[in-house]
Amino acid sequence: MTDQDLDFTIERLGECRFPSPMRKGRFAGDGERIMYHSRFDDMKPYLAAGAEPPALELAGPRERIFFDPATIACGIVTCGGLCPGINNVIRAVVLSLYHHYGVRRIYGFRYGYEGLVKRLGHNPLDLTPEVVERIGEMGGTILASSRGPQDPAEMVDNVEELGIGILFAIGGDGTLKGAGKIAGEAARRGRPISVIGIPKTIDNDISFIQTTFGFETAVAEAKLATYAANTEALGAKNGIGLVKLMGRDSGFIAAYTALVDSQVNYCLVPEVPFTLPGLLRSLEERLTARGHAVIVVAEGAGQELLAATGGRDASGNVKLGDIGTYLRDAIKEHFARSGREINLKYIDPSYIIRSQPANPHDSALCLLLGHNAVHAGMAGRTNMVVGFWNNQFTHVPIDLATRQRKKIDPDGWLWSSVLASTGQPRDIR
């Protein structure tokens, strides 16, 4: 995607005619923007051409709002895999609607987008401050979740029947694409329904969003696994600790875990190809020199080494082969053939990590994402996702956020830092 493709224009439902009931805090102006580029050199071409550099709309409460809080209902839906902090976001949205704006009808749709299809029989929950009071202490989602698309027409039918003016969709790439289709169907009907996405992906792989909630908690929990792997590796002759972490298309969790725990010696991610002979050769050298090794591999790494599993899951994702067990078995077989004793311990903490409650930093991020989602919806924005860019909360069009996955740049600072921390070869092929 080039800079010429960047259009950060946010759709609006119409004129904001009602004064905001919020009386405290700072209002954001409709013209306030956050620069997309943070390096001056990247802005020079625009300045030289007399053009405005690309910028994102600043999030926050507006002085005037589109919806009358006394007459609308709102809905919340959570989709896709679990992630630390979903309940925190639900709580933040409910409390902001209730206390900041006075909205009294808030529906929680159960089992993802299935809950928006009336004929499937998942009655929505009535969400009140009392219902959500303690849910931030829990992992998972009180609304439950599901994967897979539903008919946008059926979902909008139900939204209209319930009198919902704002629908908050908490989820990742697939969820946000579904939210875009709901917004498109509402617009086709000429219905003033705001659809606001809140980015939930433990892999931190949504474009134009600096960090998504749950990511920091995931890295903190992953460190417990790498600590255990290192302890086991040090406790045996030619000990190898192998840890598989989440990361289907983007290896951010693996990369940051390697930085958090500098005892990781190899970090394997989807963005940087490696070969089995290259890894085994380097691993032999490592064991000869140091007598132990810790390997972190993202679930999407090395898929070209595996037999194709075929098919896609309910969210449309290609089904992955298990790179963790593949490497475990391949490493054991290699050293058995060479007659060299090793002691390998394999750890896969994926479901333990994603089911944890959010840590304090993620809890604060969830609160602010939830509040800014509510502000955007009440101000009549739609077909957008609340973002975080250059340390400011922003509005991002759903189409732009889902056009391609955010990935590690193999030539960028992050991967360079991983190589410096692990000491692994730049090219393991």
Side-chain angles (χ1 to χ4, degrees):
M1 191 182 302
T2 66
D3 286 0
Q4 286 68 38
D5 298 321
L6 301 181
D7 182 359
F8 291 110
T9 304
I10 301 298
E11 294 180 27
R12 304 187 189 188
L13 295 175
E15 179 187 358
C16 291
R17 297 182 293 108
F18 299 96
S20 172
M22 293 190 68
R23 291 292 177 262
K24 296 180 180 180
R26 175 187 179 280
F27 289 111
D30 282 346
E32 291 191 69
R33 298 289 186 271
I34 300 299
M35 301 306 299
Y36 168 63
H37 294 297
S38 57
R39 298 174 67 252
F40 181 68
D41 284 350
D42 293 329
M43 299 185 196
K44 282 182 179 178
Y46 296 95
L47 300 177
E52 287 190 1
L56 297 86
E57 186 173 77
L58 180 68
R62 266 52 181 181
E63 227 171 338
R64 300 190 70 79
I65 59 177
F66 177 81
F67 290 104
D68 179 358
T71 62
I72 69 161
C74 294
I76 305 173
V77 62
T78 61
C79 307
L82 298 183
C83 173
I86 303 175
N87 279 331
N88 302 68
V89 174
I90 295 170
R91 181 178 185 274
V93 170
V94 170
L95 294 183
S96 181
L97 286 170
Y98 193 94
H99 293 296
H100 293 158
Y101 291 97
V103 175
R104 291 297 182 263
R105 289 186 297 145
I106 308 168
Y107 299 105
F109 294 100
R110 300 187 297 159
Y111 305 110
Y113 284 140
E114 285 188 16
L116 281 166
V117 179
K118 186 176 180 180
R119 63 180 173 78
L120 297 179
H122 303 309
N123 294 326
L125 300 178
D126 289 323
L127 297 177
T128 65
E130 292 74 27
V131 170
V132 303
E133 182 179 6
R134 302 296 296 272
I135 64 173
E137 302 167 17
M138 303 158 48
T141 164
I142 62 165
L143 299 179
S145 186
S146 72
R147 294 187 184 274
Q150 302 294 334
D151 180 9
E154 286 191 274
M155 291 190 282
V156 174
D157 285 344
N158 197 21
V159 166
E160 285 194 83
E161 184 177 324
L162 293 170
I164 289 173
I166 310 172
L167 177 67
F168 300 95
I170 304 171
D173 182 79
T175 304
L176 296 177
K177 288 178 179 177
K181 291 178 180 179
I182 294 171
E185 175 64 19
R188 187 188 67 78
R189 299 183 185 190
R191 304 302 299 171
I193 297 171
S194 168
V195 181
I196 307 294
I198 303 174
K200 173 208 68 68
T201 166
I202 206 167
D203 292 344
N204 195 30
D205 61 356
I206 298 180
S207 294
F208 307 105
I209 295 177
Q210 184 175 321
T211 186
T212 52
F213 73 84
F215 174 70
E216 185 174 293
T217 303
V219 172
E221 293 296 322
K223 182 185 182 298
L224 300 177
T226 58
Y227 176 86
N230 185 64
T231 300
E232 291 287 348
L234 287 171
K237 181 181 178 181
N238 290 329
I240 300 173
L242 174 61
V243 179
K244 187 181 81 170
L245 298 175
M246 291 81 67
R248 288 186 54 88
D249 301 293
S250 308
F252 289 105
I253 291 179
Y256 275 92
T257 300
L259 297 180
V260 167
D261 188 351
S262 58
Q263 299 180 96
V264 173
N265 310 118
Y266 296 91
C267 179
L268 308 174
V269 297
E271 297 90 335
V272 182
F274 69 96
T275 66
L276 184 60
L279 176 63
L280 294 172
R281 183 170 56 250
S282 180
L283 190 54
E284 286 179 341
E285 295 170 357
R286 165 77 193 181
L287 292 179
T288 298
R290 300 298 298 274
H292 71 282
V294 175
I295 306 168
V296 167
V297 58
E299 63 182 315
Q303 289 299 305
E304 64 278 4
L305 308 180
L306 309 176
T309 59
R312 294 177 179 269
D313 65 19
S315 295
N317 300 311
V318 174
K319 292 181 179 178
L320 299 179
D322 192 335
I323 188 63
T325 57
Y326 171 82
L327 289 180
R328 178 198 64 192
D329 296 341
I331 292 169
K332 286 182 176 181
E333 290 170 9
H334 171 77
F335 283 101
R337 285 195 306 269
S338 69
R340 187 172 186 176
E341 178 189 358
I342 65 164
N343 289 276
L344 187 149
K345 300 297 188 294
Y346 175 58
I347 303 172
D348 180 356
S350 301
Y351 292 107
I352 295 173
I353 289 173
R354 75 177 204 167
S355 65
Q356 296 300 306
N359 70 10
H361 183 274
D362 266 332
S363 295
L365 179 62
C366 291
L367 177 83
L368 296 173
L369 284 169
H371 283 188
N372 282 296
V374 171
H375 299 324
M378 292 302 297
R381 270 58 173 178
T382 189
N383 202 12
M384 57 145 281
V385 57
V386 179
F388 188 67
W389 194 255
N390 288 335
N391 297 306
Q392 298 280 341
F393 289 92
T394 61
H395 298 161
V396 183
I398 285 178
D399 175 67
L400 205 56
T402 58
R403 199 171 296 176
Q404 64 185 36
R405 302 267 185 168
K406 183 173 70 175
K407 293 178 179 288
I408 294 173
D409 179 1
D411 297 317
W413 71 266
L414 173 58
W415 190 243
S416 179
S417 300
V418 169
L419 296 177
S421 176
T422 61
Q424 71 190 62
R426 175 172 287 276
D427 191 347
I428 310 180
R429 285 186 288 186

